[in-house]
């Protein structure tokens, strides 16, 4: 039973909602010390409002308290990078990435409702609810500056759903193993109703998470990919994740790879790559690849601003 639970937790983390989020994920443990370092260093520079503050603080958005962190300096024309963690994760899992990127750019991250130090949502959330919170955060921490959204897992899906409706603001996207556009349908196909035991549990738990049984009470709905305009988009997927599900691992890997390809419809300037040696937490397993991708997209967005 313990083995089944562990595999279910791993699979649901890849699904982008993270049953493991009810406890501390491996990635969180690896980056918590980095998060504390970033927060303590930034705090010495003081706190303020808008694009000028550095550190971690709470802001009010839509009646909720939302935890945000910003570091680095703004420069003319250069977009602000906004990091978006996966489901079950707080902004601390992005701390190492933020620290590196902020040496050359203005970088912010935030805890979505139900995650980290932000308030719990009052009810079930949809993409529209999450988008309203993101807009409020951007209004406070970036003002009218353009942004590049860099999201992992569920954070990547939210970023990709947000960009088409906010083309005036979002000038680039980096999706790090983003939750695929039609996850429920994909899982149901990869692990059919005839599956039993562990595989059936994995499928059922993932579908339950997608229906809102996750820390954010967020419904991860299947939907087509819409265009976000001709912005630079870098899609990065893991190299290997499903080895512990031998009977259905190949089908799940195919499902995930096909889903990542679907994100290319976001833009005619989309590129996709595989992070060699990486599992689902690309920014932890291969931070060099994540940093390079975000810096490249930011540079392209700056050049076309």
């Amino acid at each position: 039973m313990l083995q089944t639970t562990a595999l279910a937790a791993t699979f649901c983390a890849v699904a982008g909602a993270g049953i493991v989020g009810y406890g501390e994920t491996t990635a969180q443990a690896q980056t918590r010390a980095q998060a504390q370092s970033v927060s303590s260093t930034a705090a010495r520079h003081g706190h303020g409002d808008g694009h000028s503050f550095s550190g971690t603080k709470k802001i009010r958005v839509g009646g909720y308290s939302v935890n945000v962190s910003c570091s680095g300096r703004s420069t003319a024309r250069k977009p602000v990078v906004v990091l978006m963690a996966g489901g079950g994760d707080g902004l601390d899992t992005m701390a190492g990435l933020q620290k590196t990127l902020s040496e050359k750019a203005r970088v912010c991250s935030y805890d979505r409702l139900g995650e980290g130090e932000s308030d719990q949502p009052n009810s079930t959330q949809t993409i529209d609810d999450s988008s309203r919170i993101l807009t409020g955060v951007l209004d406070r921490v970036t003002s009218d500056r353009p942004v590049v959204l860099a999201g992992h897992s569920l954070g990547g899906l939210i970023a990709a759903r947000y960009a088409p409706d906010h083309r005036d603001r979002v000038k680039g996207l980096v999706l790090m193993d983003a939750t695929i556009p039609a996850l429920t349908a994909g899982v149901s196909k990869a692990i059919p109703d005839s599956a039993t035991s562990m595989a059936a549990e994995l499928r059922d738990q993932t579908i339950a998470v997608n229906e809102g049984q996750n820390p954010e009470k967020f419904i991860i709905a299947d939907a087509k990919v819409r265009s976000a305009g001709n912005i630079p988009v870098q899609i990065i997927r893991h190299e290997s994740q499903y080895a512990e599900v031998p009977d259905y691992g190949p089908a799940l890997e195919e499902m995930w790879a096909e889903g990542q390809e679907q994100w290319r419809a976001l833009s005619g300037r989309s590129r996709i790559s595989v992070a060699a040696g990486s599992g689902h937490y690309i920014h932890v397993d291969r931070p060099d690849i994540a940093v390079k991708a975000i810096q490249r997209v930011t540079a392209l967005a700056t050049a076309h601003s």
Side-chain angles (χ1 to χ4, degrees), residues 190-263:
I191 306 179
D193 291 340
S194 58
T196 59
S197 189
M198 184 184 297
E201 183 177 345
L202 292 175
R203 181 197 61 224
D204 294 345
Q205 287 195 25
T206 300
I207 292 173
V209 165
N210 294 349
E211 291 174 345
Q213 295 181 36
N214 57 70
E216 300 177 42
K217 300 180 183 178
F218 183 81
I219 297 175
I220 307 171
D222 290 357
K224 292 182 179 180
V225 179
R226 295 182 298 127
S227 173
N230 199 35
I231 63 173
V233 177
Q234 179 67 54
I235 302 155
I236 313 171
R237 68 175 176 87
H238 68 254
E239 181 178 47
S240 178
Q241 182 65 36
Y242 300 106
E244 293 179 304
V245 195
D247 292 341
Y248 297 96
L252 291 169
E253 289 289 4
E254 182 179 358
M255 170 203 77
W256 199 258
E258 289 177 354
Q260 298 304 312
E261 286 288 341
Q262 290 172 19
W263 285 128

Side-chain angles (χ1 to χ4, degrees), residues 70 72 98 128 154 180 182 212 265 305:
C70 289
Q98 181 168 335
D128 291 338
L154 180 59
I180 62 176
S305 62

Side-chain angles (χ1 to χ4, degrees), residues 256-284:
W256 199 258
E258 289 177 354
Q260 298 304 312
E261 286 288 341
Q262 290 172 19
W263 285 128
R264 297 186 69 171
L266 280 163
S267 170
R269 297 169 67 196
S270 294
R271 291 176 52 176
I272 189 166
S273 61
V274 177
S278 173
H280 185 50
Y281 281 81
I282 291 170
H283 56 296
V284 174

Side-chain angles (χ1 to χ4, degrees), residues 24-102:
E24 187 171 72
T25 66
T26 300
Q28 282 177 308
Q30 290 174 334
T31 57
R32 188 169 297 281
Q34 292 175 313
Q36 292 171 345
S37 174
V38 170
S39 295
S40 61
T41 299
R44 291 197 294 269
H45 297 287
H47 295 269
D49 287 321
H51 58 80
S52 62
F53 90 91
S54 291
T56 303
K57 71 172 188 175
K58 305 288 183 63
I59 63 174
R60 299 295 296 180
V61 178
Y64 292 99
S65 175
V66 178
N67 191 44
V68 300
S69 172
C70 289
S71 52
R73 294 183 178 180
S74 297
T75 57
R77 296 177 54 247
K78 194 170 186 178
V80 177
V81 175
V82 178
L83 303 176
M84 301 177 64
D89 293 337
L91 60 80
D92 57 336
T93 64
M94 308 300 266
L97 190 59
Q98 181 168 335
K99 183 177 181 180
T100 300
L101 290 168
S102 63

Side-chain angles (χ1 to χ4, degrees), residues 5-33:
T5 302
L7 285 174
T10 300
F11 183 75
C12 287
V14 174
I19 285 177
V20 287
Y22 290 102
E24 187 171 72
T25 66
T26 300
Q28 282 177 308
Q30 290 174 334
T31 57
R32 188 169 297 281

